[in-house]
Amino acid sequence: MAYTFNNTNVSQWNSNLDAIYDVIERGMAAKEVVCSITTGFRSVLALRTNPGLNPYHASVADIGYGFDAVQGTINRLKKEETSQHMLEMLVFDLDTLRISEKQLSPNFEMAVKGATPDVYYLVNLSRNLNRQIGQMINEANRLGQELLGKEWYKIHARIQNIQAIPRL
């Protein structure tokens, strides 16, 4: 039997999961370009030693891992895994991704502080891509909340203590 929630039919459930997956896929594409640009920042003398460069790169990588986690959880849900914690995993993955995105902009601004005019186009491109990544993450969370309805907030309340564990 396929996993569904809130009396949705299998087709609607899978369609909603596909919508979240597709939004994550678009965000992942932007993240890949940002990651390449971030790596290129290391070759720019004015940016190479900026204190924000490593945290920014780590934030981008963290978001990449988050995208992978969401897609993995969706794949497990669609393959009809019946773990009692599958919905918790979906909420946890989506909300942790939202938290990771909050680190992106401040670290980016530190990383590009003092950039020279010859790299402004890369800085502006990255800034725009960061905004797109944030929009995709927010959209995926909105879709997850729409999919689970009031249950999202109940699950979120249960997982907050786990999210409070600092990341290494």
Side-chain angles (χ1 to χ4, degrees), residues 30 33-34 37 124-134:
V33 176
V34 166
I37 294 171
N124 289 330
L125 179 60
S126 292
R127 191 174 277 122
N128 289 334
L129 289 166
N130 287 336
R131 191 173 16 252
Q132 288 177 29
I133 291 167

Side-chain angles (χ1 to χ4, degrees), residues 18-140:
D18 287 342
I20 296 169
Y21 194 97
D22 291 345
V23 166
I24 293 296
E25 193 72 27
R26 290 194 313 270
M28 191 176 294
K31 190 266 329 166
E32 290 298 325
V33 176
V34 166
C35 194
S36 295
I37 294 171
T38 302
T39 301
F41 282 168
R42 295 184 190 286
S43 66
V44 178
L45 190 58
L47 302 179
R48 185 179 304 156
T49 58
N50 274 3
L53 188 55
N54 287 336
Y56 175 59
H57 191 76
S59 298
V60 173
D62 205 25
I63 285 173
Y65 296 134
F67 284 152
D68 289 341
V70 171
Q71 288 182 323
T73 298
I74 288 172
N75 286 337
R76 292 173 72 185
L77 282 165
K78 290 183 78 174
K79 288 182 181 172
E80 304 175 15
E81 279 195 34
T82 57
S83 166
Q84 65 184 27
H85 300 292
M86 289 305 298
L87 295 179
E88 283 85 353
M89 288 175 59
L90 181 63
V91 173
F92 179 84
D93 291 341
L94 284 169
D95 197 58
T96 300
L97 190 54
R98 181 192 59 79
I99 292 167
S100 296
E101 187 271 333
K102 298 290 181 207
Q103 300 170 335
L104 199 59
S105 291
N107 288 334
F108 173 77
E109 295 305 328
M110 284 178 48
V112 300
K113 189 174 183 175
T116 55
D118 60 325
V119 294
Y120 282 169
Y121 72 99
L122 288 176
V123 170
N124 289 330
L125 179 60
S126 292
R127 191 174 277 122
N128 289 334
L129 289 166
N130 287 336
R131 191 173 16 252
Q132 288 177 29
I133 291 167
Q135 289 169 343
M136 295 303 108
I137 290 170
N138 290 333
E139 177 68 6

Side-chain angles (χ1 to χ4, degrees), residues 2-15:
Y3 193 98
T4 63
F5 176 75
N6 216 15
N7 295 324
T8 59
N9 64 44
V10 174
S11 176
Q12 183 62 43
W13 173 258
N14 285 333
S15 178

